[in-house]
């Protein structure tokens, strides 16, 4: 695995040098993990002029699920618990003879930035911006394979829930049961707080489970994901509780399904992010749901559950092959509930069969 | 409840004005919640020159467990999803006629700070520092009551676990079961990732559960906590699995117990933080455990699980009444395992009976 991390660091180093900085300080945990194989708590990565270093506050001793640091990387452990690894790393960058250091200004706090400047005043600080986040957008097959396994786990957990009795159970308990099942099937843990929404709560993005119980006739919408070796996927489905859905429920479901399909079908290398969003959005729009639509139709997934790209009306950029994204339109009618359908897919060229669906649980409207 | 939040904001405003700033921007979520009653995702609080505002990215619609915003507080919702509430709040501060704004430099990123400066260049930005964290150290009886309920919940969850069969189960499953029981008993959720450590893992602070199974003769150390109405407590216990503990286990347990008791007994208004730490530490020290001792003996708890004060050798300051802290010394012998004992207590004057123990599960060495 070491070559993978070295290659990633080499690519970042090229960008960094092109931007006029000899060294870079990576502090955002997902970025540290991407480049170093692991992100022990508080650790930062120094991409140094002469040597790269993982700077930790204590010996890195996480679970295997948290990743193991790249063996080619020297680990520098701070002696005390009070030190700031970012300040120590900047000091080491200066000791390597560098005179400039790019930092992640979108992650580093003003106070830490100031501490670095005061400890190493002769170091010129620049902004690395989202350079690592950009490298992370296109995944290699190893990363996609982790997402694929995570999606299988989420499908299994959801499938088992559907076989159990649901009426009378609370959103909160269903959410906890799903999270237990994720771990039972080998997940490191949930990819994000599991959302279970019933009745009037159904269809709300990011709904936090309450003590409301599942009732006959409810819409039940569920959104969950597994973390597998650090990679996070997402699936969302909506079901009806009871023997037969009401007409408005069937209509609304069909509409959101059509929007979600339009979004999925728009996924192709070269398609603008905003065009994927528009494909899904206009289905809902033309049915009269202008108001209250979510701000985005989908987003990238990987070491974080919500990463670049954003599939949204104002997003700039185009899809590449091997970019995993969610497609997750939804409609929520205040007081009545609603529908969300959410898949994780990998963008693939037409010649390879088009977008690869990772979350394969059926999208038929099931009456449970 | 509104008066509570208003009084807290008034106290902060006094500090802020004394520091020469007319307004303050609170961005750290626990601080926002402390002053506004709730911290919807991404929201910031403006303590304005003429009016206080909670600035949100969307309508605040959390669960009751996430708190409800103080009704006396006007909520300003950003129209789009792309805006930064901190920048919007700074703009509103300027619109109120202020010329200075104190921000939380230990929380705000360099990029956001820069965005504020570029949007509202005429506003002089100052550092609020840890002013809100300092206000949060001493708790009122309402806050202590939330911690007390949380501690009861954690005691219940732990008590039930002890009644079940443990041998053969994995650390990971025991951790998940404890977290489910916390929620069953009314917790909002776990206060932090539950730690279950067996055999050679036992006694390690912050150990993340693995797939190791409980075996006869193991030490089993467990650390968990409940969040109740946002307040987080902590309890840690160590047990022996099997009929009778080995001599080294009894000796080590007695030693850590003595250290923990010494720490608890040192808790009193006016005692220096470092003296509490020293009381516990010297018991371990004089038994020959100089190396590998944790960097701290305990810490404050509240809206965050690890807040001020730190009970550590270099900590500055003295305990006040009504400060809840943990006392949690431990010893871990590499390859063999170890012992941790952890309580949450509230500092009370001698006249009120001394420190109030919130986590009441027995600290006898139980053989399970």
């Amino acid at each position: 695995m070491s070559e993978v991390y070295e290659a990633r660091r080499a690519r970042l180093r090229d960008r960094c040098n092109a931007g006029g900085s000899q060294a870079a300080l990576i502090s955002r945990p997902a970025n540290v993990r991407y480049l170093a194989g692991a992100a022990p708590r508080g650790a930062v990565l120094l991409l140094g002029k002469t040597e790269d270093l993982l700077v930790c506050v204590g010996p890195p001793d996480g679970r295997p699920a948290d990743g193991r640091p790249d063996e080619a990387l020297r680990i520098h452990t701070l002696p005390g618990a009070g030190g700031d690894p970012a300040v120590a790393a900047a000091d080491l960058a200066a000791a390597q003879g560098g005179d400039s250091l790019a930092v992640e200004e979108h992650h580093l706090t003003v106070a830490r930035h100031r501490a670095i400047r005061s400890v190493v005043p002769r170091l010129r600080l620049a902004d690395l911006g989202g350079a690592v986040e950009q490298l992370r957008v296109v995944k290699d097959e190893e990363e996609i394979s982790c997402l694929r396994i995570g999606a299988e786990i989420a499908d299994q957990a959801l499938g088992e829930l559907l076989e159990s009795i649901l009426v009378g159970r609370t959103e909160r308990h269903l959410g906890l049961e799903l999270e237990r099942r994720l771990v039972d099937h080998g997940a490191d843990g949930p990819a994000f707080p599991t959302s279970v929404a019933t009745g009037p709560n159904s269809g709300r993005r990011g709904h936090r489970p309450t003590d409301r119980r599942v009732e006959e006739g409810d819409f039940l919408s569920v959104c969950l994901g597994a973390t597998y070796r650090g990679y996070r996927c997402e699936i969302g489905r909506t079901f009806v509780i009871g023997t037969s859905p009401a007409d408005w429920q069937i209509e609304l479901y069909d509409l959101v399904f059509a929007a979600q399909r339009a979004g999925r079908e728009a996924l192709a290398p070269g398609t603008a992010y905003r065009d994927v969003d528009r494909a899904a959005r206009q289905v809902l729009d033309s049915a009269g749901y202008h108001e209250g639509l979510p701000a985005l139709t989908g987003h990238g997934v990987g070491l974080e559950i919500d990463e670049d790209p954003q599939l949204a009306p104002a997003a700039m950029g185009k899809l590449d092959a091997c970019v995993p994204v969610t497609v997750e339109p939804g409609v929520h009618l205040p007081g009545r509930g609603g529908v969300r359908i959410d898949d994780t897919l990998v963008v693939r060229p037409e010649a390879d069969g088009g977008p690869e669906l990772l979350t394969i649980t059926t999208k038929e409207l099931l009456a449970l």
Side-chain angles (χ1 to χ4, degrees), chain A residues 34-247:
Chain A
Y34 181 74
L35 298 167
R41 194 173 165 175
V44 303
L45 174 70
L46 172 66
L47 216 67
K49 191 179 169 190
T50 59
E51 187 188 13
D52 298 344
L53 289 164
L54 185 65
V55 183
C56 300
V57 281
D61 62 353
R63 306 177 300 170
D66 299 326
R68 296 194 190 284
D70 173 10
E71 286 166 12
L73 204 56
R74 193 152 71 83
I75 294 175
H76 179 92
T77 303
L78 297 194
D84 180 342
V87 174
D91 209 11
L92 291 162
Q96 290 185 6
D99 55 17
S100 59
L101 179 69
V103 301
E104 298 192 290
E105 291 192 350
H106 60 298
H107 179 264
L108 211 61
T109 65
V110 177
R112 298 178 86 187
H113 196 260
R114 180 162 295 157
I116 291 173
R117 277 191 314 196
S118 92
V119 169
V120 207
R122 68 174 193 74
L123 218 51
R124 188 169 49 76
L125 298 185
D127 185 11
L128 187 63
V132 188
E133 285 84 349
Q134 283 162 36
L135 291 179
R136 284 168 46 200
V137 169
V138 174
K139 269 72 176 177
D140 64 30
E141 287 303 323
E142 183 72 30
E143 295 180 279
I144 291 172
S145 148
C146 291
L147 287 167
R148 197 181 289 122
I149 294 170
E152 275 174 29
I153 292 171
D155 277 323
Q156 283 176 307
L158 184 56
E160 289 172 1
L161 186 82
L162 300 186
E163 288 169 13
S164 64
I165 303 286
L166 300 170
V167 171
R169 299 173 69 195
T170 68
E171 293 175 355
R172 224 189 301 208
H173 274 97
L174 293 176
L176 284 166
E177 182 173 328
L178 282 167
E179 296 191 354
R180 185 179 58 76
R181 290 186 186 278
L182 290 173
V183 174
D184 278 348
H185 288 294
D188 310 339
F192 53 90
T194 297
S195 177
V196 177
T198 61
N201 298 329
S202 59
R204 279 172 57 191
R205 184 168 198 261
H207 173 75
R208 306 271 304 271
T210 68
D211 289 325
R212 188 182 184 284
R213 290 176 194 278
V214 177
E215 294 175 13
E216 283 288 323
D218 274 357
F219 263 141
L220 167 70
S221 56
V222 174
C223 188
L224 75 157
T227 306
Y228 184 78
R229 296 198 182 160
Y231 283 82
R232 293 161 196 265
C233 66
E234 187 174 317
I235 178 171
R237 291 290 184 269
T238 300
F239 310 99
V240 170
I241 304 298
T243 42
S244 61
D247 288 346

Side-chain angles (χ1 to χ4, degrees), chain A residues 139 147 191-192 205 223-225 232-237 259-260 263-265 267 273 276-277 280 296-302 304-312 319 323-329 340-347 355-359:
Chain A
K139 269 72 176 177
L147 287 167
F192 53 90
R205 184 168 198 261
C223 188
L224 75 157
R232 293 161 196 265
C233 66
E234 187 174 317
I235 178 171
R237 291 290 184 269
Q260 205 254 358
R264 280 187 280 123
E265 288 175 353
L267 295 177
Y273 302 147
V276 179
D277 178 75
L296 50 76
T297 297
H299 53 79
V301 295
E304 292 174 289
I305 190 56
D306 192 353
E307 53 181 53
D308 292 332
Q310 300 285 304
L311 306 180
L319 288 173
V323 175
V325 293
T326 67
V327 177
E328 47 171 313
R340 294 183 58 77
I341 305 174
D342 184 351
D343 280 310
T344 301
L345 306 98
V346 181
V347 177
E356 178 188 351
L357 183 68
L358 300 188
T359 43

